[in-house]
Amino acid sequence: MEALTFASPSVLFPLDTPRPTLRVDPPPYFPDLFLHQVVNAITAGREEYDLNSFFYTPLTDVSAVLYRQEVMKDIEDLEVYAQLTAFASAMRTVRENLAHAQKTYYERQQERWFLDAVSTYCDAVLGLTQGLSNTRLRSTGLVAFRNFLLHYTASAQFLRLREEALQLRHLLSSIRYAVRIHGLRVEVRAYAGEEDYSAEITRTFARFRQADVPGYNFLFKDSPEMNHVEAQILDGVATLYPEVFSRLAAFRQVHRAFVDPTIAVFDREAQFYLGYLDYIAPLKQAGLPFCYPHITEASSRIYARQCFDLVLATKLVREGSLPVCNDFALDGPERMLVVTGPNQGGKTTFARSIGQLHHLAALGCPVPGTEAQLYLPDRIFTHFEQGEHPEGVVGKLEDDLLRIREILADATSRSLLIINEIFSSTSLHDALFLSKRIVSAILDLGAPCVWVTFLDELASLNEKTVSMVATVDPHNPEVRTFRIERRPADGLAYAMTLARKHRLTYEMIRERLRP
Amino acid sequence: MKARLLYPNMDFDWRWAQLAAAERANRRASIRSRQLPDVDPCAGLPPNAEDLQRDLDLAPLFSAMAQDDDWIFEVSRRVLLEAVQADLEIIWYRQAVLQDCLQQPDVARQLYTLAVEVTEGRRGHHLGVLSRYPDWVLRDALETLMDLLRPLRALHQLVAQYAPCFRAEGWKQFFTTIQVNLSAEYLTEVEGHLHELKFPHGVLLSAELGPAHKGTRYRLHRVPKLRRGLWDWWRDLFEAKPPVYRFELSPRDEAGAQALGELRSRAIASAAEALGQAASHVRDFFAMLRAELAFYIGCLNLHEALTRRGYHTCFPQPAPVSEHRLSFHGLYDVSLALTVDRPVIPNDLHADGKTLLMITGPNSGGKTTFLRSLGIAQLLMQAGAFVPAQSFTASLCSGLFTHFRREEDIRLQSGKFDGELARMSVIVDHLRSGAVLLCNESFSATNEREGSEIARQLIQAVTELGVRVYFVTHFYELARSFYEKGPESACFLRAERLQDGRRTYRILKGEPLATTYGEDVYRRIFGVSCGVSHEETPTRT
């Protein structure tokens, strides 16, 4: 066997940076950000590749993220995408064929499954090599893998494997045999060119034909297993063609372990990219924007334009509509987005989308939005309201505070905090008092934070807070626009719009009362 | 093999007819079946088919034609409603076919009966889950085809005997097709195949090695005839024989017997498919024949019903669209004639060159009936049938539309005028030059001034576009506005009312009158005088 001088390339992790330890369990913020739904949707039907840990492990190194962004961009090319999908489906067939070869009882059949697995493998590898040679790859990861493929497919070992498989398949496919069944007697012999009787029947009755009639969908036991009658007939065929069948037996002995380990790794890792692209494809098709975020070391300036919640978008697109896209930015001294506005106005969704954005960016994936600049948080902390607390308001408040204390203890200036509707069931006075304390603690920490609240006062605390407001349709205040706008919080605006609708503003009342 | 009786170069959609008839049969038996997936009950119909059926009261006409035959009902319904657009060639073609039918009603009915027997036959439809098994399909197809040999031979006979009596182009084509394709030799050949497919000498198949070495691309072959001649013996003895591998299953090997049966099934699958399809094709042929005949049998039924009641019919003279012809003698409403016992009053009219008929007159004076008789006659003529009149000449129309006052317009109080306008707007979407628009008390959901003005503008606009409008109204304002413009292009008709207030149900030419005598009806119904009695208002000069 030729020694391959390449270090085994990976398309997920660059060789020159230390590999992160892969997480076995999802990060704690997954449920709050609905990221488990995203990952489940991505990995559905790809269980055999065991991809979850890739999606659970955000990268902390900017160059490692860029490495993946490059690969993802290459794969977004339709041609490359098609090559990889075809390769993946062929490799799946290879595994299925080998599984059959393990299971089946008749040796001749095992040999045949093995041959089919090898042929599929060779075709897949060659197809991928040719396909990738014809495309312009830019990413370090895919270029390295393509170089590996070029060497591998030119190796004597691979060429011999392929040539032998081709010959055997050709010989087998040119066999047609005849069987005559009369009662319990069976005769097997070579086919002598007899005419197809059903064609003759079709011809005879063709003149009555008025239209296509539905064909029959006959039910045959389609197990790949053989019964002893089939096996006996196969034995008969083997005695008619002894040379072909003995070569087939030898083939399996010679080439037992034929799948190259580097190719097996690539087959798995490519699914990370294909899975994500397949997941966002319907959204892109529906016209929603995705972009590769610019990743910065520092968190001093982060923003995204036209971003949206992936989970909500998936649901809405399936129902035929689109989510509302929103912008956000934290620039210079600004550290906290304070989101206020009417209930059901899209505040939680907005907060969630910012968390999703950061996690996905740290995976090296394109994120919702037309443009984004993000940093790699060392950790993401979320605190979302979890429905009713079994021990009532006091128990809940206590839990909330414990959780916040925990967060403040663990968070650094490089963490991302997403706090949603905390203290909502406390008295206004208490909520305000507690919130102000915690907000200033977070602002002192200096970590970027999204704070969803009903307390307008928090929105204008100091120059570090940015006020974002969920808006309503000015003509019909019952209609939420789900647009979150950067502007001063004004709780009265909603009430005033309602008043105008009912012509009850001061001026309107005067106007109506004028004689 | 085609039977092009309805169109010289096109099949009628017999598959639709078959499904629609089945659907209707279920409905009549009040089997609440799922709607058959492929039936579009509105297939081929104009978008306003529902309105036409209701406004022109076509149900009694369809029933008289169908006489409980669902195929005739559905086919006639479709042929008549499709006839809102027609072509002179096809009308002549069908008139000729129908004339032959009226000459030879027994032969036409015998042909139809053959088609009915096959299409109503039980076999072929109910294989259900067994259609997944080639053995069952083959067996069923064999029996079906054996059964079908009889009607095929009968068809062969009938055609041989009566071909000379049919002169229409449509019939001649059909008879020739049968003579060429269903010869005695051909029927014998078919019988031979049916015998061989019982496999008295076992099954010979061939196959290739597919994935996993399982057999694939199975083919069935005819088992070679047994060799009997001396030469064959000679060959058997001295020629090199190809190697053969033989084995025999033990009679106790049940699993083996089953496996062998499966193999046999695979081998005969293609033949079963071919024969199953062949059986379907032959049945389809009869279904096609039934669909093509159904309309004519419907016309025969209608003719007999009308003749029995003493009504005249005639073949109409269709004229090109551009001539704006409409003249008839003795026209009556066929649906009314079929449903009431008293004789229906026929009407005459000469309105050639007019694009507007404005029909006014007293309530219950026969205006609606008259309007319907115009619509039905137009449809029957355009479908290629005879019409209920002693003579009838009319220009073809490129679309027939009805805008009748509706019950629901009255029930849905809010926006009923809105609803009327909406319906009219839909009609206007479809109107083209050469269309005919029948209006019955349109816009009466609002007051006379508004209704008249809207109607006036509508009529003015569409008639200028070449649409013919037949308008029944009690709006004096409306009728008067056209009358005053000069009577050249419009024809003003009035339901006749005698001095004593009785109606004759005759529609006569006459200028519009300012009252519609609702009071008369009131008096007749309640049998009392309601105070001041109106005399006919003198017409303005």
Side-chain angles (χ1 to χ4, degrees):
Chain A
M1 174 164 171
E2 260 177 301
L4 289 167
T5 49
F6 288 86
S8 231
S10 156
V11 285
L12 279 184
F13 304 101
L15 285 170
D16 48 8
T17 28
R19 272 185 177 235
T21 318
L22 291 179
R23 296 186 68 110
V24 180
D25 297 315
Y29 54 80
F30 254 48
D32 281 346
L33 298 184
F34 286 180
L35 279 167
H36 57 302
Q37 294 190 35
V38 175
V39 173
N40 286 348
I42 292 173
T43 55
R46 299 177 205 266
E47 290 78 6
E48 62 197 293
Y49 299 106
D50 187 21
L51 298 173
N52 283 0
S53 56
F54 295 145
F55 286 102
Y56 291 162
T57 314
L59 302 177
T60 49
D61 186 290
V62 176
S63 67
V65 171
L66 291 182
Y67 184 81
R68 284 198 193 169
Q69 285 191 354
E70 284 180 351
V71 174
M72 188 77 92
K73 282 179 197 165
D74 270 347
I75 296 179
E76 269 197 275
D77 178 276
L78 284 183
E79 179 56 31
V80 178
Y81 175 88
Q83 291 295 337
L84 294 192
T85 337
F87 173 73
S89 110
M91 287 301 283
R92 194 170 275 187
T93 311
V94 171
R95 286 192 293 279
E96 282 163 9
N97 287 350
L98 288 176
H100 282 305
Q102 289 281 319
K103 267 194 312 197
T104 185
Y105 171 76
Y106 297 102
E107 194 142 346
R108 287 193 207 286
Q109 228 195 339
Q110 291 174 6
E111 291 158 6
R112 177 58 189 257
W113 279 120
F114 183 81
L115 172 66
D116 290 348
V118 172
S119 312
T120 313
Y121 172 76
C122 293
D123 291 350
V125 171
L126 268 188
L128 184 64
T129 311
Q130 278 161 9
L132 291 184
S133 313
N134 296 331
T135 52
R136 279 187 57 189
L137 300 178
R138 292 187 180 79
S139 63
T140 320
L142 277 178
V143 168
F145 179 70
R146 181 173 63 187
N147 286 338
F148 165 83
L149 278 179
L150 288 171
H151 275 81
Y152 174 63
T153 50
S155 68
Q157 167 212 10
F158 178 81
L159 291 174
R160 202 181 109 211
L161 180 74
R162 175 159 184 273
E163 180 56 30
E164 281 181 36
L166 274 179
Q167 279 185 13
L168 274 171
R169 281 179 69 86
H170 175 73
L171 289 170
L172 287 168
S173 68
S174 52
I175 294 175
R176 176 170 272 276
Y177 58 93
V179 179
R180 178 163 176 193
I181 305 171
H182 199 183
L184 293 176
R185 273 174 295 140
V186 181
E187 289 178 11
V188 185
R189 52 178 178 74
Y191 168 69
E194 293 92 345
E195 206 204 337
D196 184 356
Y197 191 22
S198 58
E200 205 176 326
I201 296 166
T202 304
R203 269 202 306 281
T204 304
F205 288 94
R207 64 190 62 187
F208 289 100
R209 188 179 173 287
Q210 301 298 318
D212 285 336
V213 298
Y216 293 90
N217 191 3
F218 289 135
L219 191 68
F220 295 117
K221 268 191 215 152
D222 233 356
S223 84
E225 311 302 323
M226 272 190 172
N227 57 49
H228 65 285
V229 172
E230 287 174 302
Q232 244 174 311
I233 291 174
L234 182 58
D235 284 342
V237 179
T239 54
L240 298 176
Y241 303 92
E243 200 193 330
V244 182
F245 280 81
S246 64
R247 273 182 68 177
L248 181 58
F251 181 76
R252 183 164 65 131
Q253 295 308 320
V254 177
H255 298 285
R256 282 213 174 266
F258 63 90
V259 177
D260 185 277
T262 304
I263 287 185
V265 166
F266 175 78
D267 182 35
R268 179 184 173 210
E269 292 186 343
Q271 291 299 318
F272 171 85
Y273 297 101
L274 296 176
Y276 189 76
L277 289 175
D278 285 352
Y279 175 68
I280 64 171
L283 307 184
K284 285 165 87 173
Q285 180 118 33
L288 289 171
F290 280 86
C291 65
Y292 288 90
H294 180 236
I295 307 291
T296 56
E297 283 290 348
S299 61
S300 53
R301 176 171 153 76
I302 56 177
Y303 67 87
R305 295 195 210 298
Q306 302 288 299
C307 67
F308 52 88
D309 176 6
L310 268 183
V311 175
L312 178 69
T314 308
K315 177 173 166 279
L316 291 180
V317 165
R318 205 175 290 142
E319 291 164 1
S321 61
L322 289 177
V324 171
C325 300
N326 283 300
D327 304 349
F328 76 87
L330 284 176
D331 205 351
E334 298 163 359
R335 292 289 79 189
M336 182 181 286
L337 297 171
V338 179
V339 189
T340 56
N343 290 335
Q344 314 291 325
K347 291 176 299 187
T348 302
T349 303
F350 175 71
R352 188 182 292 130
S353 68
I354 294 174
Q356 289 177 358
L357 226 56
H358 280 87
H359 179 79
L360 295 171
L363 293 178
C365 296
V367 299
T370 51
E371 189 188 349
Q373 172 164 308
L374 304 169
Y375 76 113
L376 302 179
D378 59 357
R379 289 175 70 177
I380 297 175
F381 294 96
T382 57
H383 184 56
F384 279 46
E385 194 173 18
Q386 308 284 339
E388 285 302 297
H389 194 279
E391 287 163 47
V393 176
V394 181
K396 180 168 156 45
L397 180 62
E398 194 176 305
D399 269 11
D400 281 352
L401 287 173
L402 283 173
R403 170 75 184 134
I404 291 289
R405 193 181 67 183
E406 204 177 286
I407 292 176
L408 283 172
D410 293 346
T412 73
S413 65
R414 291 195 56 82
S415 303
L416 173 68
L417 274 58
I418 297 175
I419 314 288
N420 186 21
E421 298 282 13
I422 198 171
F423 308 139
S424 58
S425 32
T426 333
S427 74
L428 182 66
H429 180 268
D430 286 356
L432 199 53
F433 170 80
L434 292 168
S435 300
K436 279 184 175 169
R437 293 294 159 98
I438 294 163
V439 166
S440 38
I442 294 174
L443 291 176
D444 288 346
L445 183 67
C449 176
V450 183
W451 185 291
V452 177
T453 182
F454 61 102
L455 300 169
D456 288 356
E457 290 84 345
L458 297 182
S460 49
L461 218 51
N462 57 37
E463 81 284 355
K464 294 182 181 174
T465 56
V466 173
S467 173
M468 305 284 291
V469 181
T471 57
V472 292
D473 186 335
H475 303 297
N476 186 359
E478 270 108 283
V479 175
R480 269 69 168 155
T481 62
F482 303 112
R483 211 165 288 292
I484 315 285
E485 289 176 5
R486 181 172 181 135
R487 69 172 191 215
D490 48 356
L492 282 178
Y494 182 55
M496 290 310 290
T497 324
L498 265 178
R500 265 195 300 282
K501 184 187 174 195
H502 296 286
R503 302 171 65 211
L504 290 172
T505 59
Y506 177 71
E507 288 83 6
M508 282 172 146
I509 290 173
R510 273 176 57 114
E511 182 75 13
R512 288 165 81 176
L513 292 182
R514 207 170 58 182
Chain B
M1 290 195 283
K2 299 292 183 190
R4 297 256 164 85
L5 298 177
L6 285 167
Y7 300 95
N9 301 311
M10 198 175 90
D11 294 351
F12 182 74
D13 188 351
W14 58 271
R15 176 74 78 194
W16 173 87
Q18 188 174 37
L19 294 170
E23 167 94 2
R24 181 164 193 272
N26 284 346
R27 228 172 24 237
R28 291 202 310 150
S30 55
I31 297 170
R32 201 183 284 253
S33 71
R34 304 167 270 108
Q35 171 128 6
L36 292 168
D38 298 334
V39 202
D40 173 5
C42 306
L45 299 185
N48 63 332
E50 276 290 317
D51 291 344
L52 286 172
Q53 220 166 308
R54 189 152 92 171
D55 295 341
L56 299 182
D57 191 21
L58 296 175
L61 172 66
F62 296 152
S63 301
M65 293 180 82
Q67 309 251 316
D68 291 338
D69 181 312
D70 296 313
W71 284 63
I72 299 181
F73 188 96
E74 291 294 343
V75 172
S76 304
R77 187 171 74 92
R78 179 160 168 179
V79 168
L80 278 170
L81 290 172
E82 271 180 340
V84 294
Q85 289 174 35
D87 152 334
L88 274 177
E89 291 299 317
I90 292 176
I91 295 176
W92 298 129
Y93 186 82
R94 291 187 189 168
Q95 283 192 355
V97 172
L98 181 55
Q99 266 155 358
D100 275 350
C101 287
L102 290 169
Q103 294 287 315
Q104 299 282 346
D106 293 343
V107 181
R109 285 184 188 280
Q110 275 182 58
L111 281 170
Y112 189 71
T113 307
L114 277 182
V116 171
E117 278 170 17
V118 175
T119 43
E120 302 282 319
R122 198 175 45 81
R123 195 175 292 287
H125 284 297
H126 305 292
L127 260 188
V129 71
L130 294 179
S131 72
R132 308 294 300 271
Y133 301 96
D135 293 284
W136 282 96
V137 169
L138 186 70
R139 185 185 309 177
D140 182 72
L142 277 173
E143 286 176 17
T144 304
L145 286 166
M146 286 293 191
D147 288 353
L148 287 174
L149 277 174
R150 195 198 57 78
L152 285 174
R153 292 209 160 98
L155 184 59
H156 169 82
Q157 282 287 315
L158 213 53
V159 168
Q161 194 174 347
Y162 292 104
C165 310
F166 286 76
R167 282 182 297 261
E169 190 198 335
W171 281 116
K172 282 200 287 196
Q173 262 186 25
F174 171 64
F175 281 4
T176 311
T177 305
I178 297 298
Q179 280 164 333
V180 171
N181 285 294
L182 290 187
S183 63
E185 302 82 63
Y186 173 73
L187 293 171
T188 312
E189 183 195 336
V190 166
E191 213 169 357
H193 280 299
L194 298 184
H195 177 69
E196 190 163 348
L197 282 164
K198 289 175 182 157
F199 303 116
H201 305 295
V203 167
L204 176 62
L205 64 97
S206 72
E208 291 174 13
L209 291 169
H213 274 341
K214 303 270 286 187
T216 186
R217 304 172 69 176
Y218 287 93
R219 275 187 220 154
L220 180 70
H221 307 288
R222 302 174 85 156
V223 175
K225 296 224 167 59
L226 281 180
R227 291 163 171 183
R228 295 263 181 256
L230 205 61
W231 170 240
D232 296 320
W233 285 111
W234 180 262
R235 249 193 351 204
D236 278 358
L237 276 175
F238 295 102
E239 270 186 13
K241 276 181 286 189
V244 179
Y245 176 89
R246 291 190 176 84
F247 61 93
E248 186 164 354
L249 294 182
S250 145
R252 273 167 313 197
D253 180 1
E254 278 179 29
Q258 202 183 338
L260 208 55
E262 223 161 272
L263 186 63
R264 185 181 177 279
S265 296
R266 285 184 192 270
I268 65 165
S270 60
E273 172 125 21
L275 202 70
Q277 295 201 337
S280 297
H281 288 327
V282 178
R283 297 175 58 88
D284 285 353
F285 167 74
F286 281 102
M288 178 277 298
L289 183 58
R290 185 171 181 183
E292 294 278 348
L293 282 165
F295 174 68
Y296 296 104
I297 304 300
C299 288
L300 283 182
N301 290 341
L302 179 64
H303 192 264
E304 279 170 19
L306 291 173
T307 311
R308 205 166 45 235
R309 286 165 176 257
Y311 288 104
H312 290 281
T313 60
C314 70
F315 277 92
Q317 297 288 318
V321 180
S322 54
E323 291 179 11
H324 292 166
R325 305 251 303 211
L326 181 63
S327 290
F328 49 79
H329 175 55
L331 176 73
Y332 55 92
D333 176 351
V334 69
S335 284
L336 193 62
L338 290 164
T339 41
V340 298
D341 286 329
R342 61 183 161 78
V344 172
I345 307 296
N347 277 294
D348 301 342
L349 181 69
H350 293 282
D352 289 351
K354 309 288 188 189
T355 53
L356 173 62
L357 295 189
M358 185 62 77
I359 305 146
T360 56
N363 288 333
S364 308
K367 291 176 299 189
T368 302
T369 301
F370 179 73
L371 195 62
R372 280 193 184 127
S373 70
L374 288 177
I376 295 177
Q378 186 82 24
L379 280 183
L380 282 168
M381 175 185 80
Q382 303 206 146
F386 48 77
V387 294
Q390 278 175 300
S391 74
F392 187 88
T393 306
S395 283
L396 297 186
C397 65
S398 66
L400 181 66
F401 299 90
T402 52
H403 188 262
F404 278 40
R405 193 178 169 168
R406 278 289 170 69
E407 280 304 311
E408 69 251 28
D409 289 341
I410 295 158
R411 238 182 295 126
L412 290 170
Q413 276 307 323
S414 68
K416 68 176 184 179
F417 184 52
D418 180 63
E420 266 204 293
L421 290 172
R423 278 196 290 126
M424 183 60 88
S425 158
V426 172
I427 290 174
V428 173
D429 282 342
H430 292 96
L431 274 183
R432 289 187 290 129
S433 175
V436 167
L437 172 59
L438 307 180
C439 295
N440 191 11
E441 303 286 12
S442 290
F443 309 126
S444 54
T446 185
N447 65 48
E448 178 161 354
R449 191 167 299 274
E450 287 174 4
S452 296
E453 179 55 18
I454 291 174
R456 195 186 61 76
Q457 296 192 15
L458 173 88
I459 293 169
Q460 191 71 38
V462 301
T463 49
E464 280 169 11
L465 249 160
V467 173
R468 282 171 280 161
V469 179
Y470 307 160
F471 207 108
V472 165
T473 186
H474 68 267
F475 286 161
Y476 173 72
E477 279 285 322
L478 172 62
R480 174 60 60 182
S481 70
F482 280 95
Y483 192 76
E484 281 174 354
K485 275 201 228 168
E488 303 80 38
S489 65
C491 175
F492 294 89
L493 300 173
R494 228 167 57 197
E496 188 180 38
R497 174 188 185 259
L498 300 180
Q499 285 300 323
D500 59 4
R502 275 188 301 126
R503 279 80 168 130
T504 61
Y505 303 110
R506 298 205 310 168
I507 307 292
L508 304 172
K509 284 195 181 177
E511 60 186 293
L513 297 177
T515 173
T516 53
Y517 315 101
E519 202 181 300
D520 295 338
V521 183
Y522 178 87
R523 211 186 304 151
R524 180 161 52 71
I525 304 285
F526 290 93
V528 291
S529 163
C530 56
V532 191
S533 116
H534 290 250
E535 278 311 308
E536 279 189 24
T537 315
T539 54
R540 271 168 41 181
T541 46

